[in-house]
Amino acid sequence: MALQNQRKANVRLPPEVNRILYVRNLPYKITTEEMYDIFGKYGGIRQIRVGNTPETRGTAFVVYEDIFDAKNACDHLSGFNVCNRYLVVLYYQSTKAFQKLDKEKKKQELEKMREKYGISKDK
């Protein structure tokens, strides 16, 4: 075990690698238990969040205890076939999430200003 930890300490991972995986193209009827079965083979999992709204169906976040387990799962499960659907497994990138929120916030502010000043969209 000590040798394994020593190897991990000497490994340099790419900057995008983190403990949180974003999974797309999941079957809509997949359960959290099935997700634990699939992703738990690669290490300890802290949390799994499966999307349940119309916008998030077919997606999930998987949070591993260890960054090396997350990397191993991403390497092995990207393209894995589940119920005739090939999983897309990516590292979660908070900067992209914030950019998306910023765009949505700007759209909402623009709509409020249009309403306030009586400007229609087609102008």
Side-chain angles (χ1 to χ4, degrees):
M1 186 71 170
L3 183 62
Q4 185 180 14
N5 289 338
Q6 186 179 6
R7 282 189 202 148
K8 287 182 179 182
N10 295 333
V11 174
R12 186 170 203 127
L13 295 173
E16 71 272 6
V17 175
N18 64 58
R19 296 180 316 118
I20 306 170
L21 300 179
Y22 174 60
V23 185
R24 295 188 332 209
N25 205 35
L26 286 165
Y28 286 165
K29 296 190 185 250
I30 196 162
T31 65
T32 305
E33 291 78 22
E34 291 169 328
M35 292 287 294
Y36 274 100
D37 287 343
I38 295 168
F39 285 85
K41 294 176 183 173
Y42 297 95
I45 294 175
R46 181 169 290 183
Q47 183 181 65
I48 293 181
R49 295 268 176 123
V50 178
N52 57 5
T53 67
E55 295 84 20
T56 61
R57 282 177 44 183
T59 66
F61 290 98
V62 180
V63 182
Y64 278 91
E65 296 286 341
D66 184 65
I67 192 170
F68 291 96
D69 295 338
K71 182 180 182 329
N72 194 19
C74 187
D75 291 346
H76 287 93
L77 291 175
S78 192
F80 186 73
N81 189 328
V82 177
C83 298
N84 294 321
R85 298 182 68 86
Y86 294 98
L87 299 184
V88 177
V89 183
L90 307 165
Y91 296 106
Y92 172 71
Q93 296 177 348
S94 61
T95 55
K96 286 191 177 184
F98 287 126
Q99 287 173 353
K100 185 176 180 181
L101 287 175
D102 286 344
K103 285 180 184 178
E104 290 174 6
K105 187 176 178 181
K106 287 178 184 178
K107 283 182 185 179
Q108 290 173 349
E109 288 175 4
L110 182 61
E111 285 300 314
K112 286 180 184 177
M113 290 188 72
R114 283 183 176 150
E115 288 176 13
K116 182 177 179 179
Y117 295 107
I119 300 171
S120 63
K121 285 185 178 182
D122 54 335
K123 288 188 178 180

